[in-house]
Amino acid sequence: MITHEIAHVGSVELLTPVPDESLRFFTRVMGLTEVGAEGDSVYLRTWDDYEHHTLKLTAHSTSGIRRTALRTWSQDALERRVKAIEEAGLGVGWRDGDPGVGPTYVFRDPDGHELELYWESEWFDAPPELRPALKNQAQAYPARGVCVRRLDHVNFLSAEVEPSTDFLINVLGGRTTEQIRLDSGDISGRWLHFTNKSYDIVYTRDWTGANGRLHHVAFATDTREDILRAADIFLDHGVFIETGPHKHAIQQTFFLYVYEPGGNRIELCNPCARLVLAPDWKPITWTEAERAKGQAWGLKTIESFHTHGTPPL
Amino acid sequence: MITHEIAHVGSVELLTPVPDESLRFFTRVMGLTEVGAEGDSVYLRTWDDYEHHTLKLTAHSTSGIRRTALRTWSQDALERRVKAIEEAGLGVGWRDGDPGVGPTYVFRDPDGHELELYWESEWFDAPPELRPALKNQAQAYPARGVCVRRLDHVNFLSAEVEPSTDFLINVLGGRTTEQIRLDSGDISGRWLHFTNKSYDIVYTRDWTGANGRLHHVAFATDTREDILRAADIFLDHGVFIETGPHKHAIQQTFFLYVYEPGGNRIELCNPCARLVLAPDWKPITWTEAERAKGQAWGLKTIESFHTHGTPPL
Amino acid sequence: MITHEIAHVGSVELLTPVPDESLRFFTRVMGLTEVGAEGDSVYLRTWDDYEHHTLKLTAHSTSGIRRTALRTWSQDALERRVKAIEEAGLGVGWRDGDPGVGPTYVFRDPDGHELELYWESEWFDAPPELRPALKNQAQAYPARGVCVRRLDHVNFLSAEVEPSTDFLINVLGGRTTEQIRLDSGDISGRWLHFTNKSYDIVYTRDWTGANGRLHHVAFATDTREDILRAADIFLDHGVFIETGPHKHAIQQTFFLYVYEPGGNRIELCNPCARLVLAPDWKPITWTEAERAKGQAWGLKTIESFHTHGTPPL
Amino acid sequence: MITHEIAHVGSVELLTPVPDESLRFFTRVMGLTEVGAEGDSVYLRTWDDYEHHTLKLTAHSTSGIRRTALRTWSQDALERRVKAIEEAGLGVGWRDGDPGVGPTYVFRDPDGHELELYWESEWFDAPPELRPALKNQAQAYPARGVCVRRLDHVNFLSAEVEPSTDFLINVLGGRTTEQIRLDSGDISGRWLHFTNKSYDIVYTRDWTGANGRLHHVAFATDTREDILRAADIFLDHGVFIETGPHKHAIQQTFFLYVYEPGGNRIELCNPCARLVLAPDWKPITWTEAERAKGQAWGLKTIESFHTHGTPPL
């Protein structure tokens, strides 16, 4: 069993047809910091990210996620994983990395989502105006908008969940912490982790049968209070709140879902102090009947959760 | 016994020798909103204030508090209180009110602090860019810096506590909720309220024997988490944190004290859900021995609490 | 205009057909403390109540609220209000008060809900095992279950809202802070306050046309985090969660609604630092269209909110 | 470089000269659950521990920590680490594990603290009365006292910090996240982690020169609010609060330190969402001058922090 080859999710590239509005959302409302721009893309960072950037926001004809970057544990791990991906026939090839990132290997999961692996990463060196008071912090707390702390996870939509998650398990060393098994026996959602966080990458079924779409990208806040406060901020800024705040039964995450102006679903999440430390964690499998009960405290799962993905079809 | 003549503390005028730095502190760090300027003064408001402004910040040769405004319960109450003040020989006279405020009667407490009473008050009508999403809120949540909700209380320093508090009790209808009695029998601190808040105006002894000085002005936050978050914001902005966050034994307020750039001590406070609803509240009297135990959870009362007041001597 | 005659809501008497289960709910799950029993009733208190008890829980053939007690501001206020009630023809008469309560005048609102007024009240003197560490607190924090701080408000159902609320306004000095006006012009909900809390007594329309029923009784928690924590406690104890946690648009209260085992709806509420301090508060009137938007952050108002009341019909 | 051989800290054995009082502290005040007793020991668990127990509390002539258990990542990892320990000459030998734990290898760090490694671990199967509502949780939330979520870390005192930490680094694969370097060049404190938590085992200098002592054992809470609430609970239960709540500059942990009745220092800690995900984390080294500034928000490091350890000398 492959373990500890992937260190964590590094960054994501989101596409938006309304780049100015999306940029305003991520900087003014979410509280990310702009650290550069290149072509049609702007690079943004959360205040607790040790790397150059957390989000690459790219102007495009439509919405969706272009690429998800995973940092490997080491140069050796990078080489081993590239070899395994190539053997699986899903490699795309080496690319120059984005700013702050070294040689990058691009590949696709069986559903077609684009991912990349990299090892070399330049640590963020805060300029004077972003310098934090405490030297064990990447940059000063922005104190503007929601102020999310870090990228937490990516939730892909996939026509079929098992091929893509099996690929991440077998080739990258992902491990299942929780999943949904339909009465038919099919897995309709699977939560994978590489870290002690209880999930880093999630796949849920795309009921339209489309490939390569995004369900949501999630950012972690320091506290649940930050999420309650965020709901007020979203309300005042006219950001569409899809559902929440509430607590998921699956993974017990406290959540809030909104759509950024470009249409991509964004989650704010907070797991309290929950971590998966067990090396022999036994995956939790939820049945359809259990899922029908809704979220932890009884909120029904919102219908659009099963229909809205980006790009729209 | 006079009751319910004063509705609440309305606003305060603070003096600062470094107006630009103080203004930056109140807007960028504390999250108040500027609503006007006149002469050497800038008018600022907290987001939950229904009136025109909460704070009048005035450039001056030194720091301190110039005037504390109390809104009466009615026009009749205003007239009754002015009469009583005049009978007490402490009236200064009628003045035109500041922006948003009607006819204003200025007076002094026995220690010399300047106060004013007014009844007419223009409700704040938020311009489009400050309009809140919910119509039962005065303005949109600024989502910038600490974002204090409202002015909570003023704590005056007084050479002697009893004359000034007796004046507020007898002439304005203040009521004592808690106080400190020294072994000598002297009252060295007294907490008065006009509302269901457990205090609105506080007098503590000025050990220098000076008159008319300020101990601190306090702003309420929505949550204790807001105060913890504020401590990080103060740290990153280089604001001097004097003491806290911690919980006062007296009044059980969760607190954090800082000095604004002009030198005035500012408190962030949160009482959780504490209210004094009892019409026959029995004042709590703390002894010197009890005070020696420090704050609620054991933090020793910081020495500068007994020495720092504004203006400096 | 009558003002400040009523100090606050004192206590409520709830009826339950399953007294053991209800008692267990209020003590083990909600964290109230039992302070006595008499006949079919048990007396319970929240830890921040200065009076003898907060809740009288009475075994009965069905659920519902029997009596709501309001403490007057003074003996004179009590006598004045009794006179006014008698003039309105809604008095029932003087009764011996419950434990800790002096002479009590019972009356009914136009919809038939039983209320009482009293002035004399014995302050709670905590026995050694309940003695708090801080002398400005009524009893030690129970640290068991939810640990609600105090009774917050009562929400009556009423066949017609206006007659009952007009009665409380005209005879008791209640003041409207917010209300719902239907397109028909009818008021279908009205929030009244006697204190600086933004509401103490609420009337909402009973669409069944029945009289004297209860929508819910609400207890305040210190923090919103207490409510999130409570939701987990309710979940583990099998308590039915009807809706929440979420934030009301009306009054902006953070809420969670459950049914106690006897069927009565219980709210946990937290207003953050919101207070109504303005003596000339302008009532907020919500339209049907505004109400159709649901709660503050978009949660649809749950259907049972319009149908479930106690006793059941 | 050895990595990922140790999965996490599993449990600790604490010694107490007043076992009944200590047991009462851990169950009633801290909210742990008793799951068994054997000889002079009682086994206790936090509600989020997937293993049999979190704490073994043993009656003894004095206080202190007897043994700290680390779970390996696998059986192979266990065998590799035992071999390395034996090569380092610090092994004690194989023992039968405590209840729920398989074959256990006991050893000592260079300072003499007793540790154990184990792989086999029986997952906790909650009896009906402790069964949680959500199946991805080990047991129901106790809703009694502080309700700590899990064991977070152990902080040993050591006559010299470097030999012991070098041993854990070289033989067990610990990694340094932060440390204190005195002007003399000596390391006086070092924070090691095996997980994505930013520390799991800490060594700080024992200025008395004694060996094998304990500075503190820390338990994590879900929120900072839980720690504020805990401070009130400690106050009402007469538990000695040494310092806090406040935020450490090192590791930025929100903390509260108390002494359990047996004298052992216990920390409540909450890191918000802080995790160390970087595989190439660059250890943060604090200087004496930086340490002199005190904790994050300015609280001076309490003197007893440098003198109190268990057992007392």
Side-chain angles (χ1 to χ4, degrees):
Chain A
M1 194 173 67
I2 300 154
T3 60
H4 303 117
E5 294 277 89
I6 304 302
H8 62 88
V9 177
S11 64
V12 294
E13 180 178 1
L14 279 180
L15 306 176
T16 172
V18 290
D20 292 346
E21 289 90 327
S22 291
L23 178 59
R24 186 183 163 85
F25 169 81
F26 282 110
T27 53
R28 300 267 187 102
V29 182
M30 292 285 275
L32 274 70
T33 302
E34 191 175 334
V35 281
E38 198 181 58
D40 286 335
S41 299
V42 177
Y43 294 95
L44 300 160
R45 48 179 287 105
T46 56
W47 61 269
D48 187 37
D49 195 342
Y50 70 93
E51 297 185 277
H52 176 268
H53 64 272
T54 315
L55 174 66
K56 180 180 182 179
L57 184 66
T58 300
H60 192 63
S61 58
T62 184
S63 56
I65 189 166
R66 178 169 282 158
R67 201 187 287 175
T68 300
L70 307 176
R71 190 170 183 210
T72 60
W73 182 261
S74 63
Q75 177 65 28
D76 285 354
L78 173 60
E79 289 164 16
R80 280 190 299 265
R81 290 313 104 213
V82 168
K83 188 156 175 292
I85 293 164
E86 287 178 338
E87 284 167 9
L90 284 160
V92 172
W94 289 96
R95 298 284 182 271
D96 284 341
D98 280 329
V101 178
T104 295
Y105 188 79
V106 177
F107 62 104
R108 290 186 183 279
D109 69 20
D111 195 67
H113 299 95
E114 192 175 306
L115 296 103
E116 69 175 46
L117 293 184
Y118 66 100
W119 159 245
E120 289 178 23
S121 181
E122 182 187 304
W123 279 54
F124 180 68
D125 184 22
E129 70 279 12
L130 298 179
R131 200 145 292 163
L134 295 176
K135 64 195 229 186
N136 51 3
Q137 185 172 319
Q139 74 169 70
Y141 181 77
R144 183 187 63 244
V146 179
C147 272
V148 292
R149 180 168 191 135
R150 65 153 183 266
L151 178 62
D152 190 83
H153 64 269
V154 177
N155 187 325
F156 295 122
L157 286 171
S158 192
E160 291 179 278
V161 168
E162 283 168 284
S164 287
T165 51
D166 287 351
F167 170 74
L168 262 73
I169 292 166
N170 296 326
V171 175
L172 299 183
R175 298 195 302 152
T176 303
T177 49
E178 306 203 12
Q179 59 188 0
I180 302 167
R181 176 173 287 131
L182 303 181
D183 295 347
S184 66
D186 282 5
I187 297 297
S188 67
R190 192 174 267 166
W191 283 253
L192 302 176
H193 74 148
F194 299 101
T195 65
N196 291 126
K197 289 170 56 237
S198 64
Y199 53 116
D200 297 305
I201 299 278
V202 186
Y203 283 81
T204 47
R205 178 177 287 188
D206 194 325
W207 294 95
T208 68
N211 296 108
R213 296 208 302 158
L214 174 70
H215 192 272
H216 68 265
V217 169
F219 293 87
T221 62
D222 259 335
T223 65
R224 298 194 289 198
E225 273 292 341
D226 282 338
I227 292 183
L228 301 182
R229 193 175 153 273
D232 283 336
I233 295 172
F234 289 139
L235 186 65
D236 270 343
H237 280 81
V239 173
F240 176 71
I241 297 176
E242 186 187 33
T243 187
H246 202 88
K247 178 178 174 167
H248 280 303
I250 296 179
Q251 303 284 3
Q252 300 202 16
T253 310
F254 192 69
F255 67 82
L256 177 63
Y257 291 92
V258 300
Y259 297 170
E260 58 88 20
N264 296 298
R265 183 190 279 110
I266 301 296
E267 181 186 7
L268 298 188
C269 64
N270 187 272
C272 286
R274 182 183 177 87
L275 291 175
V276 169
L277 299 172
D280 54 349
W281 178 261
K282 292 144 184 58
I284 306 290
T285 301
W286 301 83
T287 65
E288 270 188 58
E290 287 167 339
R291 291 300 299 139
K293 290 183 192 169
Q295 305 302 338
W297 300 322
L299 184 71
K300 292 304 162 199
T301 302
I302 199 159
E303 188 52 34
S304 55
F305 229 62
H306 301 301
T307 56
H308 180 85
T310 50
L313 297 175
Chain B
M1 194 174 65
I2 300 155
T3 60
H4 303 117
E5 292 278 88
I6 304 302
H8 61 89
V9 178
S11 65
V12 294
E13 180 178 0
L14 280 180
L15 306 176
T16 172
V18 289
D20 292 346
E21 290 89 328
S22 291
L23 179 59
R24 187 185 161 85
F25 168 82
F26 282 110
T27 54
R28 300 266 187 101
V29 182
M30 293 286 274
L32 274 71
T33 302
E34 190 176 336
V35 281
E38 199 181 58
D40 285 336
S41 299
V42 178
Y43 294 95
L44 299 160
R45 47 179 289 105
T46 56
W47 60 270
D48 188 36
D49 195 341
Y50 71 93
E51 297 184 277
H52 176 269
H53 64 271
T54 316
L55 175 65
K56 179 180 180 179
L57 185 66
T58 300
H60 192 62
S61 58
T62 184
S63 55
I65 188 165
R66 177 168 285 159
R67 200 188 289 174
T68 300
L70 307 177
R71 190 171 183 211
T72 60
W73 182 262
S74 63
Q75 176 66 26
D76 284 355
L78 173 60
E79 290 164 16
R80 280 190 299 265
R81 289 313 104 214
V82 168
K83 189 158 174 292
I85 293 164
E86 288 178 338
E87 284 167 8
L90 284 160
V92 172
W94 289 95
R95 299 285 182 272
D96 284 342
D98 280 329
V101 178
T104 295
Y105 187 80
V106 178
F107 63 104
R108 291 188 181 278
D109 68 20
D111 196 68
H113 298 94
E114 191 176 307
L115 296 103
E116 69 175 44
L117 293 184
Y118 66 100
W119 159 244
E120 290 178 24
S121 181
E122 182 187 304
W123 280 54
F124 181 67
D125 183 22
E129 70 278 13
L130 297 179
R131 198 145 293 164
L134 295 176
K135 64 194 226 185
N136 51 4
Q137 185 172 317
Q139 75 168 69
Y141 182 78
R144 182 188 63 246
V146 178
C147 271
V148 292
R149 181 170 190 132
R150 68 155 180 265
L151 178 62
D152 190 82
H153 64 268
V154 177
N155 187 327
F156 294 121
L157 285 171
S158 193
E160 290 178 278
V161 168
E162 283 167 283
S164 288
T165 52
D166 287 351
F167 170 74
L168 262 73
I169 292 167
N170 296 325
V171 176
L172 300 183
R175 297 196 301 152
T176 302
T177 49
E178 307 203 9
Q179 58 188 359
I180 301 168
R181 176 173 287 130
L182 301 182
D183 295 347
S184 65
D186 282 3
I187 297 297
S188 67
R190 191 175 268 166
W191 282 253
L192 302 176
H193 75 147
F194 298 101
T195 65
N196 291 127
K197 289 170 55 238
S198 64
Y199 53 116
D200 297 305
I201 299 279
V202 186
Y203 283 82
T204 46
R205 178 177 288 189
D206 193 325
W207 294 95
T208 67
N211 296 108
R213 296 208 303 157
L214 173 71
H215 192 272
H216 68 266
V217 169
F219 293 87
T221 62
D222 259 335
T223 65
R224 298 194 289 199
E225 274 292 341
D226 282 338
I227 292 183
L228 301 182
R229 192 175 154 273
D232 283 336
I233 295 172
F234 289 138
L235 187 65
D236 269 343
H237 281 80
V239 173
F240 175 70
I241 297 176
E242 185 187 33
T243 187
H246 201 90
K247 178 180 174 166
H248 280 303
I250 296 179
Q251 303 284 3
Q252 300 203 16
T253 309
F254 193 69
F255 67 82
L256 177 64
Y257 290 91
V258 300
Y259 297 169
E260 58 89 20
N264 297 298
R265 184 190 279 110
I266 302 295
E267 181 186 7
L268 298 188
C269 65
N270 187 273
C272 288
R274 182 182 178 86
L275 291 175
V276 169
L277 299 173
D280 54 350
W281 178 261
K282 292 145 185 57
I284 306 290
T285 301
W286 301 84
T287 65
E288 269 189 56
E290 287 167 340
R291 291 301 299 139
K293 291 182 191 170
Q295 306 301 339
W297 301 322
L299 183 71
K300 291 304 162 200
T301 302
I302 199 160
E303 188 51 33
S304 54
F305 229 61
H306 301 302
T307 57
H308 180 84
T310 50
L313 298 175
Chain C
M1 195 174 64
I2 299 155
T3 61
H4 303 117
E5 292 279 88
I6 304 301
H8 62 88
V9 178
S11 65
V12 294
E13 180 177 1
L14 280 180
L15 306 176
T16 172
V18 290
D20 292 346
E21 289 90 329
S22 291
L23 179 58
R24 186 186 162 83
F25 169 82
F26 282 110
T27 54
R28 300 267 187 100
V29 182
M30 292 285 275
L32 274 70
T33 302
E34 191 176 335
V35 282
E38 197 181 58
D40 286 336
S41 299
V42 178
Y43 294 95
L44 300 160
R45 49 179 286 104
T46 56
W47 61 269
D48 187 36
D49 195 342
Y50 71 93
E51 297 184 277
H52 176 268
H53 64 271
T54 316
L55 175 65
K56 180 180 182 179
L57 184 66
T58 299
H60 192 62
S61 58
T62 186
S63 55
I65 189 165
R66 179 168 283 158
R67 201 188 287 173
T68 300
L70 306 177
R71 190 170 183 209
T72 60
W73 181 262
S74 64
Q75 178 64 27
D76 284 354
L78 173 60
E79 290 165 17
R80 280 191 299 264
R81 290 312 105 213
V82 168
K83 188 156 175 291
I85 294 165
E86 287 178 337
E87 284 168 8
L90 284 160
V92 172
W94 289 96
R95 298 283 183 272
D96 284 342
D98 280 328
V101 177
T104 295
Y105 187 79
V106 177
F107 62 105
R108 290 187 183 279
D109 69 20
D111 196 67
H113 298 94
E114 192 175 308
L115 296 104
E116 69 174 46
L117 294 184
Y118 65 99
W119 159 245
E120 290 179 23
S121 180
E122 183 187 303
W123 280 54
F124 181 68
D125 183 23
E129 70 277 13
L130 297 180
R131 199 144 295 163
L134 295 175
K135 64 193 227 185
N136 51 4
Q137 185 172 318
Q139 75 168 69
Y141 182 78
R144 181 187 66 246
V146 178
C147 271
V148 291
R149 180 169 192 134
R150 65 153 182 266
L151 177 62
D152 190 82
H153 64 269
V154 177
N155 187 327
F156 295 122
L157 286 171
S158 193
E160 291 179 277
V161 168
E162 283 167 282
S164 288
T165 52
D166 286 351
F167 171 73
L168 263 73
I169 292 166
N170 295 326
V171 175
L172 299 183
R175 298 196 301 152
T176 302
T177 48
E178 306 202 10
Q179 58 188 359
I180 302 168
R181 177 173 287 130
L182 302 181
D183 295 347
S184 66
D186 282 4
I187 297 297
S188 67
R190 190 175 268 167
W191 282 253
L192 302 176
H193 75 147
F194 299 102
T195 66
N196 291 126
K197 290 170 55 238
S198 63
Y199 52 116
D200 297 304
I201 300 278
V202 186
Y203 283 82
T204 47
R205 177 177 285 188
D206 194 325
W207 295 94
T208 67
N211 295 109
R213 297 209 301 158
L214 173 70
H215 192 271
H216 67 266
V217 168
F219 293 87
T221 62
D222 258 336
T223 65
R224 298 194 289 199
E225 273 293 340
D226 282 338
I227 293 183
L228 301 182
R229 193 175 153 273
D232 283 336
I233 295 172
F234 290 139
L235 187 66
D236 269 344
H237 280 81
V239 173
F240 176 71
I241 297 175
E242 186 188 33
T243 188
H246 202 88
K247 177 178 174 167
H248 280 303
I250 296 179
Q251 304 284 2
Q252 301 204 15
T253 310
F254 193 68
F255 67 82
L256 177 63
Y257 290 91
V258 300
Y259 296 170
E260 59 87 21
N264 296 300
R265 183 189 280 110
I266 302 295
E267 181 186 7
L268 298 187
C269 64
N270 187 273
C272 287
R274 181 182 177 87
L275 291 174
V276 168
L277 299 173
D280 54 349
W281 179 261
K282 292 143 185 58
I284 306 290
T285 301
W286 301 84
T287 64
E288 271 188 56
E290 287 167 340
R291 292 301 299 140
K293 291 183 191 169
Q295 306 301 340
W297 300 323
L299 183 70
K300 291 304 162 199
T301 303
I302 200 160
E303 188 51 33
S304 55
F305 229 61
H306 301 302
T307 57
H308 180 84
T310 51
L313 296 175
Chain D
M1 194 173 65
I2 299 155
T3 60
H4 303 117
E5 292 279 87
I6 304 301
H8 62 88
V9 177
S11 65
V12 294
E13 180 177 1
L14 279 180
L15 305 176
T16 173
V18 290
D20 292 347
E21 289 90 328
S22 291
L23 179 59
R24 186 184 163 84
F25 169 82
F26 282 110
T27 54
R28 300 266 187 101
V29 182
M30 292 285 275
L32 274 70
T33 302
E34 191 175 335
V35 282
E38 199 181 58
D40 286 336
S41 300
V42 178
Y43 294 96
L44 300 159
R45 48 179 286 105
T46 55
W47 61 269
D48 188 36
D49 195 341
Y50 70 93
E51 297 185 277
H52 176 268
H53 64 272
T54 315
L55 175 65
K56 180 180 182 179
L57 184 66
T58 299
H60 192 63
S61 58
T62 186
S63 55
I65 190 166
R66 178 170 283 160
R67 201 187 286 174
T68 300
L70 306 177
R71 191 170 183 211
T72 60
W73 181 263
S74 63
Q75 177 63 28
D76 285 355
L78 173 60
E79 290 166 16
R80 281 191 298 265
R81 289 314 103 213
V82 168
K83 188 156 176 292
I85 294 165
E86 287 178 338
E87 284 168 8
L90 284 160
V92 172
W94 289 95
R95 299 284 183 271
D96 284 342
D98 280 328
V101 178
T104 295
Y105 187 80
V106 177
F107 63 104
R108 290 187 182 278
D109 69 21
D111 195 68
H113 298 93
E114 193 175 306
L115 296 105
E116 69 175 44
L117 293 184
Y118 66 99
W119 159 244
E120 290 178 24
S121 180
E122 182 187 305
W123 279 53
F124 181 67
D125 184 22
E129 70 278 13
L130 297 179
R131 200 145 294 162
L134 294 176
K135 64 194 228 183
N136 52 4
Q137 185 172 318
Q139 75 168 69
Y141 182 77
R144 184 187 62 246
V146 178
C147 272
V148 291
R149 180 169 192 135
R150 65 153 183 267
L151 178 62
D152 190 82
H153 64 269
V154 177
N155 187 326
F156 295 122
L157 286 171
S158 193
E160 291 179 278
V161 167
E162 283 167 283
S164 288
T165 51
D166 286 351
F167 170 74
L168 262 74
I169 293 166
N170 296 326
V171 176
L172 300 182
R175 298 196 301 151
T176 302
T177 48
E178 307 202 11
Q179 59 188 359
I180 302 168
R181 177 172 287 129
L182 302 181
D183 294 347
S184 66
D186 282 4
I187 296 297
S188 67
R190 190 174 269 168
W191 282 254
L192 302 176
H193 75 146
F194 298 103
T195 64
N196 292 126
K197 288 169 56 238
S198 64
Y199 52 116
D200 297 304
I201 299 278
V202 186
Y203 282 83
T204 46
R205 178 176 287 189
D206 194 326
W207 294 94
T208 68
N211 296 108
R213 296 209 302 159
L214 173 70
H215 193 271
H216 69 266
V217 169
F219 292 87
T221 62
D222 258 335
T223 65
R224 297 193 290 198
E225 273 292 339
D226 282 338
I227 292 183
L228 301 182
R229 194 176 152 271
D232 283 336
I233 295 173
F234 289 139
L235 186 66
D236 269 343
H237 280 81
V239 173
F240 176 71
I241 297 176
E242 187 187 31
T243 188
H246 202 89
K247 177 177 174 167
H248 280 303
I250 296 180
Q251 304 285 1
Q252 301 203 14
T253 309
F254 193 69
F255 68 82
L256 177 64
Y257 290 91
V258 300
Y259 297 170
E260 59 88 20
N264 296 299
R265 184 189 281 109
I266 301 295
E267 181 187 7
L268 298 187
C269 64
N270 187 273
C272 287
R274 182 182 177 87
L275 291 175
V276 169
L277 300 172
D280 54 349
W281 179 261
K282 291 143 185 58
I284 306 290
T285 301
W286 301 84
T287 65
E288 270 188 58
E290 287 166 339
R291 292 301 299 139
K293 290 182 192 170
Q295 305 301 339
W297 300 322
L299 183 71
K300 291 304 161 199
T301 302
I302 199 159
E303 189 51 34
S304 54
F305 228 63
H306 300 301
T307 57
H308 181 83
T310 52
L313 297 176

